[in-house]
Amino acid sequence: MELRQIQYFVAVAEDLHFGRAAERLHIGQPAVSQQVRRLERELSAELFDRSGRTVTLTPAGRALLPEGREVLRAMDSFAATARRLAAQGDATFRVGISSALGQRLDDFLDALPDRGAGTRFEFQTLDAHTRLEEVRAGRLDAAFVRGLESVPGLLLLSLWQDPLVVALPAAHELAGRDRLRLADLARLPLRIAPRAENPVLFDTVVLACRKAGFEPALGPPSTGLQETLAEIGAGAGGWIPMYPAAAGTVSSRRVAVLPLDGEPVAIRMSLALRADADPERLKLLTETSARVHGKSAGKETSV
């Protein structure tokens, strides 16, 4: 018995006409008739009554039709699963990232479910605006973005909260403390990128300073983290807010990095992707993001 015999039987049973079934199958009618006859011989049962002017199903044919349809559905499902697994094995996810993810990126990759183990990732370091535009255009499959509650046309999957830390000159009297209150920094100039370049970070820090009771005095704008850290270590003074993942990049003994005491100044990290993304990719990234979020929430609760 061959699958094509069952396929031909189901087609004739649904059309009750060998000619129309052959047209639907895009093969000649003699081939359909031949294979159905062969199936009947193998089953030792007549499936169609051909004695009248029209073709009708015999009792055996009516009984076997649901079984035949189920076999074909199983075959379609098998083929679809095989195609999906093959595509997944060769899948490449193009993801936009920032330059300050550090170990957080490892946490995301570690959270991939077993079925995503063969997935290959290509990462592009881009500014936040470009990351979102590339996802919208379909040139990126997803992007890590900070501090956004919603983005038109995109889906945001929550990942973790990044509590900011502070870098300041190691020679400053405040550097000797274990932790700082934000208000302790009121008399030091704030070194931060202009709002136009990073509105999320700028607004979060300035609002936190105001909640702490002071208006931050803006020093020369930060043109890059490493450059600004070097300037602070060389005596330029001031303080700069940093993401925890970037703290490990501070190697100068002239710069001290301290956590903030009290209510954390935190920025949420999310994964942005198109709402109409491929269902399998959407499912994989949603499950991975949920795992990262759950693990991160557990750490925050235990602190």
Side-chain angles (χ1 to χ4, degrees):
M1 185 184 305
E2 300 177 11
L3 279 172
R4 63 172 177 168
Q5 294 172 340
I6 299 174
Q7 184 183 18
Y8 296 174
F9 158 64
V10 170
V12 176
E14 290 177 344
D15 288 328
L16 292 177
H17 195 284
F18 280 84
R20 287 196 294 270
E23 290 178 6
R24 176 146 66 100
L25 295 167
H26 303 291
I27 58 175
Q29 180 177 334
V32 175
S33 300
Q34 181 184 32
Q35 292 301 324
V36 171
R37 282 294 189 188
R38 183 174 297 176
L39 178 63
E40 289 176 318
R41 287 196 299 271
E42 293 180 8
L43 295 175
S44 299
E46 293 288 330
L47 301 176
F48 297 101
D49 183 352
R50 305 169 177 82
S51 60
R53 298 181 61 181
T54 58
V55 176
T56 59
L57 282 165
T58 63
R62 286 195 297 271
L64 287 173
L65 179 57
E67 300 290 340
R69 286 170 169 160
E70 187 61 33
V71 169
L72 296 182
R73 278 194 293 269
M75 181 181 68
D76 290 341
S77 177
F78 179 88
T81 300
R83 288 193 297 270
R84 186 176 69 248
L85 290 174
Q88 182 174 300
D90 297 332
T92 298
F93 280 72
R94 298 155 301 169
V95 181
I97 61 173
S98 69
S99 59
L101 281 179
Q103 189 176 342
R104 290 290 201 178
L105 186 55
D106 292 336
D107 293 340
F108 180 85
L109 295 175
D110 290 343
L112 281 169
D114 291 342
R115 58 190 171 79
T119 303
R120 189 167 68 92
F121 284 84
E122 290 182 357
F123 297 105
Q124 296 183 35
T125 303
L126 304 165
D127 65 82
H129 175 75
T130 303
R131 270 176 266 153
L132 292 174
E133 290 305 311
E134 291 293 284
V135 173
R136 282 197 185 95
R139 289 185 289 269
L140 288 178
D141 296 297
F144 289 86
V145 293
R146 286 189 173 96
L148 301 179
E149 297 297 327
S150 64
V151 179
L154 298 182
L155 177 66
L156 293 183
L157 304 176
S158 184
L159 294 171
W160 61 77
Q161 294 280 346
D162 267 331
L164 298 179
V165 296
V166 170
L168 70 163
H172 195 280
E173 59 182 12
L174 292 175
R177 301 185 184 182
D178 293 330
R179 305 177 73 88
L180 292 176
R181 294 181 301 111
L182 198 56
D184 295 333
L185 301 166
R187 290 182 292 176
L188 288 176
L190 168 61
R191 302 292 303 275
I192 194 169
R195 187 182 186 281
E197 294 182 12
N198 196 335
V200 170
L201 179 63
F202 187 94
D203 290 348
T204 299
V205 172
V206 169
L207 179 60
C209 291
R210 290 170 179 168
K211 288 178 65 176
F214 71 98
E215 186 71 26
L218 298 179
S222 173
T223 56
L225 178 61
Q226 295 306 319
E227 292 85 352
T228 303
L229 289 173
E231 292 170 6
I232 288 176
W239 64 281
I240 182 171
M242 298 172 55
Y243 295 110
T249 66
V250 180
S251 57
S252 173
R253 66 178 184 275
R254 294 175 173 271
V255 177
V257 179
L258 297 174
L260 289 170
D261 206 358
E263 182 179 352
V265 182
I267 297 177
R268 184 176 71 173
M269 176 68 82
S270 301
L271 189 69
L273 61 159
R274 289 167 60 111
D276 61 352
D278 174 78
E280 287 302 316
R281 293 194 169 205
L282 178 60
K283 183 178 180 181
L284 183 66
L285 293 178
T286 299
E287 185 175 342
T288 303
S289 299
R291 289 184 176 191
V292 174
H293 181 70
K295 185 176 181 180
S296 176
K299 287 182 179 179
E300 293 168 8
T301 302
S302 63
V303 173

